[in-house]
PDB file of all heavy atoms in Angstrom:
ATOM      1  N   LEU A 260     -15.910  15.612 -96.772  1.00  0.00           N
ATOM      2  CA  LEU A 260     -15.227  15.026 -95.538  1.00  0.00           C
ATOM      3  C   LEU A 260     -15.769  15.741 -94.232  1.00  0.00           C
ATOM      4  O   LEU A 260     -15.903  16.924 -94.326  1.00  0.00           O
ATOM      5  CB  LEU A 260     -13.624  15.265 -95.522  1.00  0.00           C
ATOM      6  CG  LEU A 260     -12.881  14.317 -96.433  1.00  0.00           C
ATOM      7  CD1 LEU A 260     -13.063  14.719 -97.907  1.00  0.00           C
ATOM      8  CD2 LEU A 260     -11.450  14.317 -96.035  1.00  0.00           C
ATOM      9  N   VAL A 261     -16.251  14.879 -93.349  1.00  0.00           N
ATOM     10  CA  VAL A 261     -16.830  15.496 -92.091  1.00  0.00           C
ATOM     11  C   VAL A 261     -16.068  14.859 -90.909  1.00  0.00           C
ATOM     12  O   VAL A 261     -15.838  13.621 -90.883  1.00  0.00           O
ATOM     13  CB  VAL A 261     -18.286  15.113 -91.985  1.00  0.00           C
ATOM     14  CG1 VAL A 261     -18.859  15.606 -90.751  1.00  0.00           C
ATOM     15  CG2 VAL A 261     -19.075  15.753 -93.172  1.00  0.00           C
ATOM     16  N   ARG A 262     -15.689  15.762 -90.007  1.00  0.00           N
ATOM     17  CA  ARG A 262     -15.075  15.323 -88.755  1.00  0.00           C
ATOM     18  C   ARG A 262     -15.749  15.908 -87.600  1.00  0.00           C
ATOM     19  O   ARG A 262     -16.262  16.977 -87.662  1.00  0.00           O
ATOM     20  CB  ARG A 262     -13.563  15.600 -88.749  1.00  0.00           C
ATOM     21  CG  ARG A 262     -13.193  17.067 -88.790  1.00  0.00           C
ATOM     22  CD  ARG A 262     -11.755  17.294 -88.733  1.00  0.00           C
ATOM     23  NE  ARG A 262     -11.414  18.682 -88.758  1.00  0.00           N
ATOM     24  CZ  ARG A 262     -11.456  19.499 -87.665  1.00  0.00           C
ATOM     25  NH1 ARG A 262     -11.812  19.041 -86.473  1.00  0.00           N
ATOM     26  NH2 ARG A 262     -11.138  20.716 -87.839  1.00  0.00           N
ATOM     27  N   PRO A 263     -15.635  15.134 -86.380  1.00  0.00           N
ATOM     28  CA  PRO A 263     -16.320  15.758 -85.210  1.00  0.00           C
ATOM     29  C   PRO A 263     -15.608  17.042 -84.781  1.00  0.00           C
ATOM     30  O   PRO A 263     -14.359  17.083 -84.882  1.00  0.00           O
ATOM     31  CB  PRO A 263     -16.143  14.632 -84.241  1.00  0.00           C
ATOM     32  CG  PRO A 263     -15.075  13.776 -84.730  1.00  0.00           C
ATOM     33  CD  PRO A 263     -15.028  13.928 -86.193  1.00  0.00           C
ATOM     34  N   VAL A 264     -16.312  18.043 -84.303  1.00  0.00           N
ATOM     35  CA  VAL A 264     -15.791  19.232 -83.806  1.00  0.00           C
ATOM     36  C   VAL A 264     -15.644  19.248 -82.235  1.00  0.00           C
ATOM     37  O   VAL A 264     -15.045  20.177 -81.760  1.00  0.00           O
ATOM     38  CB  VAL A 264     -16.555  20.451 -84.251  1.00  0.00           C
ATOM     39  CG1 VAL A 264     -16.571  20.505 -85.699  1.00  0.00           C
ATOM     40  CG2 VAL A 264     -18.048  20.279 -83.785  1.00  0.00           C
ATOM     41  N   ALA A 265     -16.274  18.293 -81.614  1.00  0.00           N
ATOM     42  CA  ALA A 265     -16.187  18.311 -80.122  1.00  0.00           C
ATOM     43  C   ALA A 265     -16.248  16.929 -79.592  1.00  0.00           C
ATOM     44  O   ALA A 265     -17.003  16.067 -80.128  1.00  0.00           O
ATOM     45  CB  ALA A 265     -17.279  19.282 -79.480  1.00  0.00           C
ATOM     46  N   ARG A 266     -15.562  16.697 -78.515  1.00  0.00           N
ATOM     47  CA  ARG A 266     -15.761  15.475 -77.713  1.00  0.00           C
ATOM     48  C   ARG A 266     -15.958  15.702 -76.284  1.00  0.00           C
ATOM     49  O   ARG A 266     -14.979  16.430 -75.713  1.00  0.00           O
ATOM     50  CB  ARG A 266     -14.661  14.457 -78.048  1.00  0.00           C
ATOM     51  CG  ARG A 266     -14.826  13.061 -77.246  1.00  0.00           C
ATOM     52  CD  ARG A 266     -13.784  12.082 -77.681  1.00  0.00           C
ATOM     53  NE  ARG A 266     -14.058  10.865 -76.894  1.00  0.00           N
ATOM     54  CZ  ARG A 266     -13.449   9.688 -77.105  1.00  0.00           C
ATOM     55  NH1 ARG A 266     -12.405   9.716 -78.022  1.00  0.00           N
ATOM     56  NH2 ARG A 266     -13.655   8.633 -76.353  1.00  0.00           N
ATOM     57  N   LYS A 267     -16.959  15.436 -75.646  1.00  0.00           N
ATOM     58  CA  LYS A 267     -17.235  15.754 -74.233  1.00  0.00           C
ATOM     59  C   LYS A 267     -17.390  14.473 -73.329  1.00  0.00           C
ATOM     60  O   LYS A 267     -17.582  13.366 -73.786  1.00  0.00           O
ATOM     61  CB  LYS A 267     -18.564  16.515 -74.179  1.00  0.00           C
ATOM     62  CG  LYS A 267     -18.534  17.892 -74.720  1.00  0.00           C
ATOM     63  CD  LYS A 267     -19.896  18.636 -74.535  1.00  0.00           C
ATOM     64  CE  LYS A 267     -19.932  20.001 -74.984  1.00  0.00           C
ATOM     65  NZ  LYS A 267     -21.175  20.725 -74.662  1.00  0.00           N
ATOM     66  N   LYS A 268     -17.163  14.742 -72.063  1.00  0.00           N
ATOM     67  CA  LYS A 268     -17.428  13.729 -71.061  1.00  0.00           C
ATOM     68  C   LYS A 268     -18.744  14.198 -70.375  1.00  0.00           C
ATOM     69  O   LYS A 268     -19.171  15.255 -70.446  1.00  0.00           O
ATOM     70  CB  LYS A 268     -16.211  13.759 -70.001  1.00  0.00           C
ATOM     71  CG  LYS A 268     -14.873  13.334 -70.666  1.00  0.00           C
ATOM     72  CD  LYS A 268     -13.818  13.310 -69.535  1.00  0.00           C
ATOM     73  CE  LYS A 268     -12.484  12.997 -70.129  1.00  0.00           C
ATOM     74  NZ  LYS A 268     -11.412  12.967 -69.039  1.00  0.00           N
ATOM     75  N   LEU A 269     -19.365  13.178 -69.724  1.00  0.00           N
ATOM     76  CA  LEU A 269     -20.609  13.399 -69.054  1.00  0.00           C
ATOM     77  C   LEU A 269     -20.531  14.548 -68.034  1.00  0.00           C
ATOM     78  O   LEU A 269     -21.453  15.405 -67.887  1.00  0.00           O
ATOM     79  CB  LEU A 269     -21.115  12.190 -68.496  1.00  0.00           C
ATOM     80  CG  LEU A 269     -22.657  12.143 -68.033  1.00  0.00           C
ATOM     81  CD1 LEU A 269     -23.444  12.261 -69.398  1.00  0.00           C
ATOM     82  CD2 LEU A 269     -23.025  10.960 -67.251  1.00  0.00           C
ATOM     83  N   ILE A 270     -19.261  14.636 -67.391  1.00  0.00           N
ATOM     84  CA  ILE A 270     -19.117  15.635 -66.356  1.00  0.00           C
ATOM     85  C   ILE A 270     -19.182  17.083 -66.947  1.00  0.00           C
ATOM     86  O   ILE A 270     -19.546  18.123 -66.273  1.00  0.00           O
ATOM     87  CB  ILE A 270     -17.845  15.419 -65.640  1.00  0.00           C
ATOM     88  CG1 ILE A 270     -17.729  16.261 -64.352  1.00  0.00           C
ATOM     89  CG2 ILE A 270     -16.643  15.693 -66.504  1.00  0.00           C
ATOM     90  CD1 ILE A 270     -16.576  15.909 -63.399  1.00  0.00           C
ATOM     91  N   ASP A 271     -18.834  17.198 -68.240  1.00  0.00           N
ATOM     92  CA  ASP A 271     -18.839  18.548 -68.901  1.00  0.00           C
ATOM     93  C   ASP A 271     -20.241  19.091 -69.015  1.00  0.00           C
ATOM     94  O   ASP A 271     -20.496  20.288 -69.180  1.00  0.00           O
ATOM     95  CB  ASP A 271     -18.171  18.382 -70.297  1.00  0.00           C
ATOM     96  CG  ASP A 271     -16.793  18.087 -70.290  1.00  0.00           C
ATOM     97  OD1 ASP A 271     -16.013  18.409 -69.273  1.00  0.00           O
ATOM     98  OD2 ASP A 271     -16.356  17.304 -71.248  1.00  0.00           O
ATOM     99  N   TYR A 272     -21.337  18.246 -68.842  1.00  0.00           N
ATOM    100  CA  TYR A 272     -22.669  18.742 -69.012  1.00  0.00           C
ATOM    101  C   TYR A 272     -23.200  19.308 -67.593  1.00  0.00           C
ATOM    102  O   TYR A 272     -24.284  19.802 -67.606  1.00  0.00           O
ATOM    103  CB  TYR A 272     -23.662  17.612 -69.435  1.00  0.00           C
ATOM    104  CG  TYR A 272     -23.340  17.211 -70.947  1.00  0.00           C
ATOM    105  CD1 TYR A 272     -22.423  16.270 -71.262  1.00  0.00           C
ATOM    106  CD2 TYR A 272     -24.074  17.883 -72.006  1.00  0.00           C
ATOM    107  CE1 TYR A 272     -22.247  15.917 -72.635  1.00  0.00           C
ATOM    108  CE2 TYR A 272     -23.897  17.607 -73.255  1.00  0.00           C
ATOM    109  CZ  TYR A 272     -22.820  16.610 -73.537  1.00  0.00           C
ATOM    110  OH  TYR A 272     -22.656  16.253 -74.941  1.00  0.00           O
ATOM    111  N   LYS A 273     -22.327  19.215 -66.617  1.00  0.00           N
ATOM    112  CA  LYS A 273     -22.683  19.716 -65.228  1.00  0.00           C
ATOM    113  C   LYS A 273     -24.146  19.284 -64.762  1.00  0.00           C
ATOM    114  O   LYS A 273     -24.901  20.047 -64.394  1.00  0.00           O
ATOM    115  CB  LYS A 273     -22.636  21.188 -65.327  1.00  0.00           C
ATOM    116  CG  LYS A 273     -21.145  21.711 -65.610  1.00  0.00           C
ATOM    117  CD  LYS A 273     -21.153  23.192 -65.695  1.00  0.00           C
ATOM    118  CE  LYS A 273     -19.769  23.635 -66.170  1.00  0.00           C
ATOM    119  NZ  LYS A 273     -19.672  25.107 -66.324  1.00  0.00           N
ATOM    120  N   LEU A 274     -24.359  17.958 -64.891  1.00  0.00           N
ATOM    121  CA  LEU A 274     -25.692  17.428 -64.474  1.00  0.00           C
ATOM    122  C   LEU A 274     -25.839  17.317 -62.969  1.00  0.00           C
ATOM    123  O   LEU A 274     -24.828  16.956 -62.293  1.00  0.00           O
ATOM    124  CB  LEU A 274     -25.870  16.040 -65.104  1.00  0.00           C
ATOM    125  CG  LEU A 274     -25.858  15.994 -66.649  1.00  0.00           C
ATOM    126  CD1 LEU A 274     -25.954  14.510 -67.061  1.00  0.00           C
ATOM    127  CD2 LEU A 274     -26.896  16.929 -67.180  1.00  0.00           C
ATOM    128  N   PRO A 275     -26.966  17.563 -62.408  1.00  0.00           N
ATOM    129  CA  PRO A 275     -27.262  17.328 -61.059  1.00  0.00           C
ATOM    130  C   PRO A 275     -26.970  15.749 -60.633  1.00  0.00           C
ATOM    131  O   PRO A 275     -27.165  14.971 -61.471  1.00  0.00           O
ATOM    132  CB  PRO A 275     -28.636  17.725 -60.810  1.00  0.00           C
ATOM    133  CG  PRO A 275     -29.005  18.662 -61.908  1.00  0.00           C
ATOM    134  CD  PRO A 275     -28.165  18.187 -63.127  1.00  0.00           C
ATOM    135  N   ASP A 276     -26.682  15.567 -59.349  1.00  0.00           N
ATOM    136  CA  ASP A 276     -26.358  14.248 -58.939  1.00  0.00           C
ATOM    137  C   ASP A 276     -27.651  13.329 -59.178  1.00  0.00           C
ATOM    138  O   ASP A 276     -27.515  12.162 -59.481  1.00  0.00           O
ATOM    139  CB  ASP A 276     -26.064  14.247 -57.407  1.00  0.00           C
ATOM    140  CG  ASP A 276     -24.641  14.916 -57.273  1.00  0.00           C
ATOM    141  OD1 ASP A 276     -23.897  14.922 -58.216  1.00  0.00           O
ATOM    142  OD2 ASP A 276     -24.359  15.188 -56.082  1.00  0.00           O
ATOM    143  N   SER A 277     -28.838  13.864 -59.095  1.00  0.00           N
ATOM    144  CA  SER A 277     -30.086  13.121 -59.236  1.00  0.00           C
ATOM    145  C   SER A 277     -30.152  12.582 -60.628  1.00  0.00           C
ATOM    146  O   SER A 277     -30.553  11.410 -60.799  1.00  0.00           O
ATOM    147  CB  SER A 277     -31.277  14.002 -58.879  1.00  0.00           C
ATOM    148  OG  SER A 277     -31.351  15.047 -59.676  1.00  0.00           O
ATOM    149  N   ILE A 278     -29.795  13.425 -61.629  1.00  0.00           N
ATOM    150  CA  ILE A 278     -29.845  12.902 -63.036  1.00  0.00           C
ATOM    151  C   ILE A 278     -28.710  11.900 -63.292  1.00  0.00           C
ATOM    152  O   ILE A 278     -29.032  10.888 -63.940  1.00  0.00           O
ATOM    153  CB  ILE A 278     -29.694  14.170 -63.968  1.00  0.00           C
ATOM    154  CG1 ILE A 278     -30.977  15.050 -63.799  1.00  0.00           C
ATOM    155  CG2 ILE A 278     -29.649  13.629 -65.398  1.00  0.00           C
ATOM    156  CD1 ILE A 278     -30.960  16.311 -64.505  1.00  0.00           C
ATOM    157  N   VAL A 279     -27.640  12.147 -62.751  1.00  0.00           N
ATOM    158  CA  VAL A 279     -26.455  11.226 -62.949  1.00  0.00           C
ATOM    159  C   VAL A 279     -26.858   9.892 -62.399  1.00  0.00           C
ATOM    160  O   VAL A 279     -26.595   8.798 -62.948  1.00  0.00           O
ATOM    161  CB  VAL A 279     -25.117  11.661 -62.404  1.00  0.00           C
ATOM    162  CG1 VAL A 279     -24.030  10.703 -62.537  1.00  0.00           C
ATOM    163  CG2 VAL A 279     -24.638  12.976 -63.157  1.00  0.00           C
ATOM    164  N   GLY A 280     -27.521   9.906 -61.202  1.00  0.00           N
ATOM    165  CA  GLY A 280     -27.973   8.693 -60.531  1.00  0.00           C
ATOM    166  C   GLY A 280     -28.888   7.969 -61.314  1.00  0.00           C
ATOM    167  O   GLY A 280     -28.929   6.700 -61.319  1.00  0.00           O
ATOM    168  N   ARG A 281     -29.845   8.753 -61.886  1.00  0.00           N
ATOM    169  CA  ARG A 281     -30.876   8.060 -62.784  1.00  0.00           C
ATOM    170  C   ARG A 281     -30.199   7.411 -63.988  1.00  0.00           C
ATOM    171  O   ARG A 281     -30.621   6.193 -64.235  1.00  0.00           O
ATOM    172  CB  ARG A 281     -31.895   9.092 -63.195  1.00  0.00           C
ATOM    173  CG  ARG A 281     -32.977   8.432 -64.149  1.00  0.00           C
ATOM    174  CD  ARG A 281     -34.094   9.242 -64.396  1.00  0.00           C
ATOM    175  NE  ARG A 281     -35.136   8.600 -65.251  1.00  0.00           N
ATOM    176  CZ  ARG A 281     -36.006   7.876 -64.871  1.00  0.00           C
ATOM    177  NH1 ARG A 281     -36.079   7.630 -63.544  1.00  0.00           N
ATOM    178  NH2 ARG A 281     -36.899   7.246 -65.626  1.00  0.00           N
ATOM    179  N   LEU A 282     -29.280   8.077 -64.586  1.00  0.00           N
ATOM    180  CA  LEU A 282     -28.638   7.420 -65.766  1.00  0.00           C
ATOM    181  C   LEU A 282     -27.804   6.218 -65.379  1.00  0.00           C
ATOM    182  O   LEU A 282     -27.737   5.328 -66.132  1.00  0.00           O
ATOM    183  CB  LEU A 282     -27.671   8.511 -66.389  1.00  0.00           C
ATOM    184  CG  LEU A 282     -28.370   9.702 -67.034  1.00  0.00           C
ATOM    185  CD1 LEU A 282     -27.392  10.749 -67.622  1.00  0.00           C
ATOM    186  CD2 LEU A 282     -29.239   9.224 -68.244  1.00  0.00           C
ATOM    187  N   GLU A 283     -27.249   6.196 -64.194  1.00  0.00           N
ATOM    188  CA  GLU A 283     -26.358   5.164 -63.743  1.00  0.00           C
ATOM    189  C   GLU A 283     -27.201   3.960 -63.312  1.00  0.00           C
ATOM    190  O   GLU A 283     -26.821   2.742 -63.470  1.00  0.00           O
ATOM    191  CB  GLU A 283     -25.506   5.680 -62.620  1.00  0.00           C
ATOM    192  CG  GLU A 283     -24.402   4.676 -62.209  1.00  0.00           C
ATOM    193  CD  GLU A 283     -23.486   5.261 -61.240  1.00  0.00           C
ATOM    194  OE1 GLU A 283     -23.686   6.408 -60.649  1.00  0.00           O
ATOM    195  OE2 GLU A 283     -22.435   4.670 -60.973  1.00  0.00           O
ATOM    196  N   ASN A 284     -28.326   4.216 -62.610  1.00  0.00           N
ATOM    197  CA  ASN A 284     -28.956   3.118 -61.864  1.00  0.00           C
ATOM    198  C   ASN A 284     -30.352   2.748 -62.345  1.00  0.00           C
ATOM    199  O   ASN A 284     -30.811   1.676 -62.289  1.00  0.00           O
ATOM    200  CB  ASN A 284     -29.129   3.430 -60.374  1.00  0.00           C
ATOM    201  CG  ASN A 284     -27.714   3.661 -59.755  1.00  0.00           C
ATOM    202  OD1 ASN A 284     -26.775   2.928 -59.943  1.00  0.00           O
ATOM    203  ND2 ASN A 284     -27.568   4.728 -59.038  1.00  0.00           N
TER     204      ASN A 284
END
């Protein structure tokens, strides 16, 4: 049996705005 040990949101990775903007647009 395997279960996930973590669930994150993108904000948890503390990405610069430029990278978030690239992923979004």
Side-chain angles (χ1 to χ4, degrees):
L260 283 74
V261 178
R262 64 177 178 81
V264 296
R266 183 170 180 179
K267 290 186 176 182
K268 298 179 180 179
L269 197 66
I270 194 172
D271 296 330
Y272 290 89
K273 300 177 182 178
L274 300 177
D276 291 342
S277 60
I278 296 176
V279 176
R281 178 173 181 81
L282 294 174
E283 186 175 12
N284 301 313

